[in-house]
Amino acid sequence: MSRQVLQVFEQYQKSRTQFVQTVAELASRPQNIETLQNAGVMSLLRPLLLDIVPTIQQTAALALGRLANYNDDLAEAVVRGDILPQLVYSLAEQNRFYKKAAAFVLRAVAKHSPQLAQSVVDCGALDALVICLEEFDPGVKESAAWALGYIARHNAELAQAVVDAGAVPLLVLCIQEPEMSLKRIAASALSDICKHSPELAQTVVDAGAIAHLAQMILNPDAKLKRQVFSALSQIAKHSVDLAEMVVEAEIFPAVLTCLKDSDEYVKKNVATLIREIAKHTPELAQLIVNAGGVAAVVDYVGESRGNVRLPGIMMLGYVAAHSENLAMAVIVSKGVVQLAIALSEEQEDHIQAAAAWALGQIGRHTPEHAKAVAVANVLPKLLQCYLRADASEDLQTKSKKALKNILQKCVHLPALEPLLHDAPPNILKHVVGQFSKVLPHDSKARRLFVTSGGLKKIQEIKAEPGSALGEYINTINNCYPEEIVKYYSPGYSDALLERVEQFNPKV
């Protein structure tokens, strides 16, 4: 009799094991998810989390994690099924394999939305996950760090909850561990905490994170470098003080070599870090210039395409915005040429808008700066972006503002002349205004203006009497003899012919 009972129990265990293993395997393929859900698999897996056999518990948790990871509906089903409290309780009690699987479920639920992440927090998961960061097993630490990062990434309140649970000092210890994957996940979690506010970033800085992150910027592992540069840029972006702390970790000039990294995400994150430092003050921007940073970023903009190019474009704009000297450093490093190429080449409006903005920041300082931008044939391109019917509002606004900024300083007339023929009245006013400033004082320019057809074009412009545009036209016309102005005025040839007809020769 006892043998029969034993066989029954063995059969029952074998069936349970086979069931959870099959479900876990099926759940790893997206095409099976809906069928599993319709079959009510959640309610069948829940009791198996309490199974007396550890491998069945772990596999049940793995299956639930895979289901919850797939979409927010399934993650919500995990929450509704009251599964989370059981997982949290077991995190403290079970072995390392179960802990990894349980942390995976918590992460899979938390990743979808702030509301689901809050459900994970509400069931007491944070304390249990922080305790897991102190485990001996690096795999358990990694799973816990990953879950904490997914909770923190949604908003400042959730990130603060992670901080309040005591996670930050332990995450800083994790980035010092020898295991590469643990370093990556811990750096990523710190980045997710830092990004929301200066206060949260300061908490990470106070735990000594910057020095340890800075030591890893030349690590050969690309995935680690992605996270390290992301974390440093999330710290630096918030304030001058935080940016200075990152710089004081002596990351320059070493970071500049990473702009040529073979990994696109590493390059983009480095460019983002440099941008976040450069934007704050002229002193920080000058420090980057002194380290060779502008020349390195100009090369980067020339070698990159699409969104990878964007932080480099913006960095050049931020540097140029600070002062005449810094804008000149961008010009000397051939920054205008690369920004002009980006403005022409890029298809995405937001990247073109960034290039237009950066060119406006360079050209707005002095006539010399404006000339450097104008001779790169930028003005017609900016006008084209502004007038394009399908351009986004942001691209139109930034192109218009850049045009005005450059035009108000530009006295290099050959670059302005094409705009006389194409610009709409609101831009034309600024173009004609610049001619009215230069022509009264430059006889050579006056002559060229006639021979190039500029004076003729001016006579064709219809300006409101007393308007700024009208005043500019009068100033230009006063630079020439009256008969020359009449000669180029519309209808003058007809008037001459009429006079010919009416003329009575003396015979």
Side-chain angles (χ1 to χ4, degrees), residues 117-172:
Q118 190 62 55
S119 301
V120 173
V121 173
D122 292 343
C123 72
L126 290 180
D127 290 339
L129 288 167
V130 169
I131 289 167
C132 286
L133 289 178
E134 298 186 81
E135 284 276 334
F136 178 74
D137 183 82
V140 174
K141 289 180 186 176
E142 186 185 321
S143 297
W146 210 337
L148 289 164
Y150 271 51
I151 293 166
R153 69 172 47 177
H154 291 292
N155 58 43
E157 291 75 22
L158 287 162
Q160 189 62 55
V162 171
V163 169
D164 293 343
V168 170
L170 294 168
L171 288 168
V172 173

Side-chain angles (χ1 to χ4, degrees), residues 363-398:
R364 70 181 176 83
H365 293 286
T366 70
E368 194 182 354
H369 292 79
K371 181 181 178 180
V373 175
V375 296
N377 201 32
V378 162
L379 297 175
K381 288 173 190 167
L382 287 171
L383 184 63
Q384 193 182 353
C385 290
Y386 172 53
L387 296 176
R388 221 179 69 210
D390 61 341
S392 68
E393 190 180 339
D394 183 50
L395 175 56
Q396 288 180 330
T397 304
K398 286 195 167 64

Side-chain angles (χ1 to χ4, degrees), residues 271-272 275 297 300-301 308-317 339:
T272 304
R275 177 193 76 194
V297 171
Y300 169 83
V301 169
V308 179
R309 204 179 209 171
L310 186 58
I313 291 170
M314 292 182 71
M315 179 271 184
L316 295 176
L339 288 169

Side-chain angles (χ1 to χ4, degrees), residues 46 48-51 57-58 61 83-103 106 128 132 135:
R46 185 174 182 269
L48 296 176
L49 290 171
L50 300 166
D51 200 277
Q57 292 178 0
Q58 293 150 26
I83 289 166
L84 296 182
Q86 178 56 48
L87 287 165
V88 171
Y89 170 76
S90 303
L91 265 177
E93 303 293 323
Q94 298 291 349
N95 65 30
R96 62 197 174 101
F97 300 108
Y98 185 89
K99 286 176 179 178
K100 282 194 271 190
L106 295 172
C132 286
E135 284 276 334

Side-chain angles (χ1 to χ4, degrees), residues 66 100 108 158 206 313 359 393 401 457 469:
R66 285 176 175 171
K100 282 194 271 190
L158 287 162
D206 291 344
I313 291 170
L359 287 161
E393 190 180 339
K401 194 166 183 185
K457 180 62 190 171
L469 180 57

Side-chain angles (χ1 to χ4, degrees), residues 407-411 413 416 420 425-440 449 458 461 468-473 475-476:
L407 287 172
Q408 282 165 356
K409 295 291 180 184
C410 186
V411 292
L413 300 187
L416 295 179
L420 281 175
N426 59 335
I427 300 294
L428 190 61
K429 175 179 71 177
H430 298 286
V431 179
V432 176
Q434 292 309 102
F435 279 100
S436 75
K437 288 178 192 172
V438 177
L439 292 174
F449 194 57
I458 287 288
I461 296 169
L469 180 57
E471 293 297 318
Y472 297 148
I473 291 171
T475 304
I476 292 169

Side-chain angles (χ1 to χ4, degrees), residues 143-427:
S143 297
W146 210 337
L148 289 164
Y150 271 51
I151 293 166
R153 69 172 47 177
H154 291 292
N155 58 43
E157 291 75 22
L158 287 162
Q160 189 62 55
V162 171
V163 169
D164 293 343
V168 170
L170 294 168
L171 288 168
V172 173
L173 285 173
C174 287
I175 61 173
Q176 299 168 62
E177 294 279 355
E179 289 78 19
M180 195 56 69
S181 57
L182 177 55
K183 283 177 183 287
R184 290 177 197 147
I185 302 301
S188 173
L190 289 170
S191 179
D192 286 328
I193 293 166
C194 289
K195 71 181 182 182
H196 301 290
S197 72
E199 293 75 23
L200 286 161
Q202 190 65 55
T203 306
V204 172
V205 172
D206 291 344
I210 290 177
H212 297 295
L213 290 166
Q215 283 171 5
M216 297 187 285
I217 59 176
L218 295 179
N219 192 290
D221 185 81
K223 288 180 181 175
L224 175 61
K225 282 191 288 190
R226 289 179 193 176
Q227 304 305 338
V228 166
F229 289 123
S230 170
L232 288 171
S233 59
Q234 297 294 6
I235 293 168
K237 75 178 184 182
H238 292 293
S239 71
V240 178
D241 288 346
L242 288 166
E244 284 175 349
M245 286 180 186
V246 172
V247 170
E248 282 162 13
E250 297 181 357
I251 60 168
F252 289 102
V255 291
L256 300 177
T257 61
C258 299
L259 284 170
K260 294 195 178 290
D261 199 275
S262 57
D263 185 279
E264 282 218 326
Y265 293 101
V266 170
K267 289 194 289 192
K268 186 182 179 186
N269 290 358
V270 176
T272 304
L273 170 60
I274 299 169
R275 177 193 76 194
E276 297 299 2
I277 294 168
K279 75 181 183 184
H280 289 293
T281 64
E283 291 76 23
L284 283 167
Q286 187 65 57
L287 186 146
I288 291 168
V289 171
N290 296 347
V294 167
V297 171
V298 169
D299 288 347
Y300 169 83
V301 169
E303 291 160 7
S304 307
R305 298 291 176 272
N307 278 320
V308 179
R309 204 179 209 171
L310 186 58
I313 291 170
M314 292 182 71
M315 179 271 184
L316 295 176
Y318 280 130
V319 170
H322 287 302
S323 72
E324 290 178 19
N325 288 343
L326 287 164
M328 193 51 72
V330 176
I331 293 169
V332 169
S333 297
K334 309 284 192 292
V336 172
V337 176
Q338 290 304 337
L339 288 169
I341 291 168
L343 184 66
S344 299
E345 254 181 15
E346 290 295 339
Q347 302 300 308
E348 297 281 338
D349 279 15
H350 68 283
I351 303 173
Q352 285 186 310
W357 168 79
L359 287 161
Q361 296 307 316
I362 296 166
R364 70 181 176 83
H365 293 286
T366 70
E368 194 182 354
H369 292 79
K371 181 181 178 180
V373 175
V375 296
N377 201 32
V378 162
L379 297 175
K381 288 173 190 167
L382 287 171
L383 184 63
Q384 193 182 353
C385 290
Y386 172 53
L387 296 176
R388 221 179 69 210
D390 61 341
S392 68
E393 190 180 339
D394 183 50
L395 175 56
Q396 288 180 330
T397 304
K398 286 195 167 64
S399 299
K400 178 184 173 185
K401 194 166 183 185
L403 263 173
K404 285 185 175 180
N405 284 343
I406 299 161
L407 287 172
Q408 282 165 356
K409 295 291 180 184
C410 186
V411 292
H412 182 64
L413 300 187
L416 295 179
E417 209 152 300
L419 301 188
L420 281 175
H421 303 275
D422 303 319
N426 59 335
I427 300 294

